[in-house]
Amino acid sequence: MASQIGPNLIMSGSLAIAVDLGGTQVRAALVAKDATVHSQLIENTHASSGGHVVLEQIREMIGTLAGKVSAASVLGVGLCAPGPLDAQSGIALSTPTINGFSDLPIGQLLSDGLPWDVQVENDGIAAAQGEWKHGAGQGQENLVYVTISTGIGGGVVADGQILHGRKGMAGHIGHMTIVADGVLCPCGNKGCWEAYASGTAFTARANEVRNEDGVVTSAKSIFDDARRGAKYAVELVDQEAEFLGIGITNLLHLYSPDIVILGGGMAKDFDMLEPGISRHVTKCAMPPFRDVPIVPATLESSSGLVGVASMVFTAHSS
């Protein structure tokens, strides 16, 4: 939840500037050590205009936030972005949802001219950190976070540690194959979980079916129609829950988490998706994995912001 900046936040190093870049929206905010989000900015991502245009958009948002407080009160800048990216080097390697995010040193380009270091992290890993430290996963040693939005991403906490993997690229769960030689995914592969269960895929299926007026405007409109009992929408929601259940069952078997947390725009209608997800897990997961709670993210759209800010504070405390 966003909050106003109070006088207690003018002390040195009390804030991080956090940026959560997605293929549809970019969010930026001042985040305090207690995870309070201040002065959040939200803009549509200029994803088709090229990597340097997107970075300039982020730079302007950082400038706007920095102008609200003293430079001394900001400890650093954290950027979480969709992968694949080399989080250790701050390089976007090949991001399918943002044009020009290929072998682009986003950390270095953003930090040039700024008085702070820029820490880069995969957006799913950052959101997992946020929910682990300040959200639905507090107190857990093992969790999987799944974000269902433009694409599907995620992050894993295993044995009390964030799982980073080689180059910090662990957790690209949206690109596990669930249908052999299936629908083409933005990554170039066929049959990815993202190609079937993301918000983009969900809306694309709806536009093939259409509602009684012949128009589908958004995922929200489909869920609204489903709540009213529209047959086309109920069937689409049930199908989406089935696709999500397939992927989540795989994740249960892979990571044996204490909890699975769902975030992203699609998770706003978790109550409608959860019964179908649970039916699939009960049917297909091995018995010892069926009792793992599947819950919505409590930080909602702020999971990534809070997580990458937490990483900034942690990096400067060591």
Side-chain angles (χ1 to χ4, degrees), residues 2-3 6-7 15 21 54 62 69 101 117 132 146-147 151 162 192 204 212 218 235 251 317:
S3 176
L15 296 167
L21 173 64
V54 172
I62 290 173
V69 293
F101 261 47
D117 294 333
W132 179 38
V146 182
T147 181
I162 283 281
C192 292
E212 59 269 24
S218 65
E235 291 176 350
L251 296 173
S317 65

Side-chain angles (χ1 to χ4, degrees), residues 119 131 134 137 145 183 205 222 232 239 246 248 267 287:
Q119 183 168 341
E131 288 294 331
H134 300 282
Y145 172 86
V183 174
R205 283 195 300 275
I222 303 166
Y232 94 97
Q239 186 181 39
I246 291 170
I248 290 169

Side-chain angles (χ1 to χ4, degrees), residues 20-296:
D20 184 357
L21 173 64
T24 302
Q25 289 187 327
V26 54
R27 300 172 183 269
L30 296 164
V31 182
K33 289 183 179 179
D34 66 357
T36 303
V37 176
H38 303 272
S39 303
Q40 183 173 182
L41 306 174
I42 304 173
E43 296 182 5
N44 292 329
T45 307
H46 303 324
S48 62
S49 299
H52 289 277
V53 174
V54 172
L55 291 178
E56 183 57 32
Q57 178 183 16
I58 293 171
R59 183 182 291 275
E60 290 177 1
M61 296 174 78
I62 290 173
T64 298
L65 292 169
K68 296 177 179 292
V69 293
S70 68
S73 67
V74 177
L75 186 63
V77 176
L79 166 67
C80 62
L85 60 83
D86 184 338
Q88 296 171 357
S89 301
I91 299 173
L93 298 174
S94 179
T95 303
T97 54
I98 301 177
N99 187 32
F101 261 47
S102 180
D103 297 320
L104 191 67
I106 55 178
Q108 177 187 330
L109 291 172
L110 269 183
S111 63
D112 287 347
L114 291 178
W116 312 285
D117 294 333
V118 176
Q119 183 168 341
V120 176
E121 186 56 86
N122 176 272
D123 55 357
I125 292 177
Q129 169 89 2
E131 288 294 331
W132 179 38
K133 294 298 185 181
H134 300 282
Q138 290 182 80
Q140 304 294 343
E141 289 289 301
N142 304 280
L143 68 82
V144 175
Y145 172 86
V146 182
T147 181
I148 314 155
S149 189
T150 306
I152 289 183
V156 177
V157 174
D159 299 329
Q161 298 288 330
I162 283 281
L163 183 64
H164 279 100
R166 186 179 69 92
K167 295 185 178 181
M169 295 192 299
H172 281 75
I173 57 178
H175 299 289
M176 59 182 169
T177 301
I178 65 166
V179 178
D181 198 29
V183 174
L184 183 67
C185 180
C187 75
N189 193 17
K190 290 183 177 181
C192 292
W193 192 26
E194 177 172 305
Y196 284 86
S198 67
T200 303
F202 177 62
T203 306
R205 283 195 300 275
N207 280 308
E208 293 176 0
V209 176
R210 304 282 176 156
N211 61 14
E212 59 269 24
D213 300 320
V215 178
V216 171
T217 58
S218 65
K220 181 181 184 302
S221 70
I222 303 166
F223 282 107
D224 288 345
D225 284 353
R227 291 182 190 281
R228 290 192 290 268
K231 184 173 183 292
Y232 94 97
V234 171
E235 291 176 350
L236 283 166
V237 170
D238 286 346
Q239 186 181 39
E240 173 68 12
E242 177 79 2
F243 284 136
L244 288 172
I246 291 170
I248 290 169
T249 299
N250 290 341
L251 296 173
L252 291 172
H253 292 154
L254 280 169
Y255 297 111
S256 188
D258 299 308
I259 191 170
V260 176
I261 303 169
L262 301 189
M266 294 283 284
K268 293 177 181 177
D269 292 284
F270 175 82
D271 64 309
M272 298 196 70
L273 293 167
E274 189 277 333
I277 293 170
S278 293
R279 279 196 302 271
H280 183 88
V281 170
T282 299
K283 175 184 175 183
C284 296
M286 290 189 289
F289 296 90
R290 294 175 187 169
D291 61 348
V292 175
I294 302 169
V295 304

